[in-house]
Amino acid sequence: MLVIDNLHVSVGGKEILRGLSLTLPAGAVHAVMGPNGSGKSTLAHVLAGREGYTVTAGTARFAGQDLLGLPAEERAHLGIFLGFQYPVEIPGVSTMYFLKAAVNAQRKHRGEPELDAMEFLKVLRREIKGLGMDEAMAQRPLNVGFSGGEKKRNEVLQLALLRPKLAVLDETDSGLDIDALKTVAAGVNALRAPDRAMLIITHYQRLLTYIVPDRVHVLSGGVIVASGGEEIAEVLEREGYAAFATTTLSAA
Amino acid sequence: MTAVTEPLADPGAEARGFAEQAYKYGFVTDIEAEHPPKGINADIVRYISARKGEPEWLLEWRLRAFKVWEERFLPAGDPTWANIRYPGIDYQDAYYYAAPKSGNQPKSLDEVDPELLRTYEKLGIPLGERALLAGVAVDAVFDSVSVATTFKKTLAEKGVIFCSMAEAVREHGELVRRYLGSVVPYTDNFFATLNSAAFSDGTFAYIPPGVRCPMELSTYFRINAANTGQFERTLIIADVGSYVSYLEGCTAPMRDENQLHAAVVELIALDDAEIKYSTVQNWYPGDREGRGGIYNFVTKRGACRGRRSTISWTQVETGSAITWKYPSCILQGEGSVGKFYSVAITNNYQQADTGTKMIHLGPDTRSTIVSKSISAGRGQNTYRGLVRIQPKAARARNYTQCDGLLLGDTCGAHTVPYIEVKNRSARVEHEATTSRISDDQLFYCRQRGLAPEDAVGLIVHGFCREVLQELPMEFAVEAQKLLAVSLEGSVG
């Protein structure tokens, strides 16, 4: 599904990813763990097509297609979803209006008929209920005045509505208390499917207690320094990132 | 509604009617040609009035206006205080009545700026209307005559008068005489005074006491509204306890051979009356290099004469090369309310200097100003607003909010508030912000699958929401589409 090979990425002339390689099969859930500054968010943004990053070498292919030349919206149309670490506020635009615009933009691209307001509302209500969210939230301006937990739940709601083939969840656990974390994790787990790959990007091991990955990669200094099963997360929990500090951690 | 396309049962009838009555009041004028020469002078003013078969009081009023314009305003030149730039206008190089077609007008849609045609397509303007809007010479406008007829009947049952200014002068002369110029006097300013001397036609509406006008009034439904020309005059009177909502303009960009447009709008609200005046202005803004485009120099003012009366102005300004307008409220009646909601967009080389004046005269008067300006390309957008609390306006209140949104770094947003408070019990609040559409917002939208221009449209819509929600429903939907189209090419 997703094959990243020897990816080098710079921001403002500074190299952040330094030859990252990673393969994510369809239906798999992989975690990428790393300390602050290791390049986790850069990886998420580069995959989603954010501007301002320079790919100096390497490739990223999704379902056989070269990803790196595509604008962000086309990657979204291919089925790539990014759960944002810091969901963005858009004043004056109701959450429902935004979600409908997003769903219909993607439906249109797939050649499916757009949902009208009533049809969309039905779908939205079902998903909101499934996530144990408050329906009133849909009337509020997108992410404006939302608590940290509400923002992250809103991301998961979008994941559920958009049903992507690849979900990259960037620090979905940050800023969540334990109850919110459980709800968000349950929402994500419910969306695990044989045709949906997930890349869970996180600093802390605790999220992986609730979303159990098939494989864990440790990102450090812009490269994957270790890959393995759950045991890797356990080592991290016990010894911290120092256990994997084979490259220049401090420089990252 | 998409455009001002008037059904004309017999397009020549009204004009012939004027011609036939031209000498009814015994005026003598030495200009008898079908088309008077270019330029403006007292004889041209007499000619206009005679051709319209106007009564003597109106001719005299026009002549007084012309004298003021010629002696006071013309020597001083165009007003220079606004933040707009344009080459000088030669006022003697324009036709002031029934301008002969110059031959410059496009003969078919093939000759029209392709950019304009693409815009029509995006706005979903019916094919039949595109030629008319683009200024292509078309003989007649086909539309449903029955709509207008039914409409007139419903209004007549309620006693609402809604007609052209020329018809009002003929049929309701006393009302016109009492109110014309009572809000915007003929001495008011350069452009309003020129309008008073030379106005071609316009709209008149009168709502009788206690009547809630059963539908939104719009020039769209008024027969013969097309070609009211560059000096349009509108007068709306809401009598005691009445209500009216009036829609002006259309979302389709209109071309016109006349570069200068200097309209005057006067509103009068008596006790407990309410007038809601909504405008979507989308005159041709010129091309991407700033060539062509309309100069829209408009004087709009409402008088809340009565107690507890309300006048609200809502405007969406996306067109014109230059917009110069300040829809204002004179809050005279005790407890009267003035509102101004505005969205002004400038893209490419457009310039807008717009805002409002809230003049608080009576006690317990209240006003609200919400102004949203959006600048893109090399557009320059100035909010200019005056809030004046006069000594007798005890406990007057004003709330002003001015927000500017910038797209790119070659445009400008300016806020020029004037606040004068002469009563200590008044409360005046002013808030202003300037922001940009952030890369974060754009990326977030695009990551969800929205194309960049749709993302900008969405963010801009959110920015303007407080104003758009003041528009009548169907207008609001069109205005939203219009915002997106107006900002095309401003990102990426």
Side-chain angles (χ1 to χ4, degrees), chain B residues 195-377:
Chain B
N195 174 292
S196 299
F199 73 87
S200 35
D201 204 342
T203 302
F204 177 83
Y206 170 78
I207 323 300
V211 169
R212 193 179 168 85
C213 190
M215 59 191 65
E216 263 138 15
L217 297 185
S218 154
T219 43
Y220 184 63
F221 288 114
R222 191 172 59 66
I223 292 182
N224 292 343
N227 298 320
T228 39
Q230 57 190 134
F231 299 108
E232 197 171 348
R233 188 99 198 178
T234 301
L235 176 59
I236 298 174
I237 303 138
D239 212 324
V240 175
S242 68
Y243 169 84
V244 63
S245 167
Y246 180 83
L247 313 182
E248 178 205 30
C250 67
T251 52
M254 296 225 284
R255 274 197 65 124
D256 192 299
E257 283 200 81
N258 301 308
Q259 188 166 39
L260 171 66
H261 277 244
V264 172
V265 176
E266 295 177 277
L267 311 181
I268 295 119
L270 302 184
D271 282 0
D272 298 298
E274 179 172 356
I275 301 175
K276 191 172 160 56
Y277 192 105
S278 310
T279 307
V280 171
Q281 184 273 119
N282 194 15
W283 289 103
Y284 184 58
D287 65 16
R288 270 163 202 265
E289 273 71 50
R291 288 179 299 238
I294 302 287
Y295 296 171
N296 192 32
F297 298 159
V298 183
T299 303
K300 291 182 166 181
R301 197 173 300 154
C304 282
R305 296 254 162 91
R307 284 169 297 178
R308 298 170 302 276
S309 56
T310 299
I311 287 179
S312 66
W313 299 99
T314 305
Q315 60 174 21
V316 175
E317 301 283 324
T318 64
S320 298
I322 305 177
T323 299
W324 178 98
K325 65 182 276 199
Y326 313 90
S328 306
C329 297
I330 299 167
L331 302 168
Q332 186 181 345
E334 188 180 336
S336 60
V337 176
K339 297 176 192 171
F340 174 76
Y341 297 95
S342 169
V343 170
I345 291 188
T346 51
N347 198 357
N348 299 322
Y349 283 87
Q350 284 177 274
Q351 308 174 61
D353 193 306
T354 183
T356 184
K357 288 187 268 185
M358 292 293 176
I359 313 293
H360 292 254
L361 300 177
D364 297 301
T365 47
R366 284 173 289 144
S367 62
T368 304
I369 298 170
V370 178
S371 164
K372 305 276 182 175
S373 78
I374 299 148
S375 317

Side-chain angles (χ1 to χ4, degrees), chain B residues 71 106-107 136 153 169 187 208 235 240 393 472:
Chain B
E71 292 175 4
K107 286 171 191 64
V136 173
K153 199 175 153 222
V169 168
T187 52
L235 176 59
V240 175

Side-chain angles (χ1 to χ4, degrees), chain B residues 392-406:
Chain B
K392 284 181 182 160
R395 298 169 303 280
R397 278 184 292 159
N398 163 266
Y399 172 74
T400 300
Q401 186 190 332
C402 294
D403 298 320
L405 188 67
L406 301 173

